[in-house]
Amino acid sequence: MTRSDYLPTESKSVWQRLFGGSPRSFVAALAETDTLTDADIDELAAYLEKLKKERK
């Protein structure tokens, strides 16, 4: 099995176990540890906006 085959499945499993599948809980955990910089937040916001546009 290649990394590209394995990663989506394992990522989903970790996401469910640690954050109950909640994106907000994941981001909140990052924010609470002061891991996110303003640049990181801007990058995430831009990426999420791009995803929204692609889904329309």
Side-chain angles (χ1 to χ4, degrees):
M1 178 179 276
T2 67
R3 176 182 165 86
S4 62
D5 292 334
Y6 174 77
L7 196 55
T9 301
E10 185 58 23
S11 295
K12 187 174 182 178
S13 175
V14 169
W15 184 271
Q16 287 296 326
R17 284 192 321 265
L18 297 179
F19 304 104
S22 169
R24 188 193 181 291
S25 293
F26 173 68
V27 173
L30 289 174
E32 289 170 9
T33 61
D34 293 326
T35 303
L36 294 175
T37 64
D38 287 346
D40 292 331
I41 293 168
D42 291 343
E43 184 178 355
L44 285 169
Y47 181 72
L48 292 172
E49 192 60 37
K50 178 183 170 209
L51 286 176
K52 282 173 69 173
K53 288 178 182 177
E54 289 174 355
R55 289 184 175 199
K56 291 182 180 183

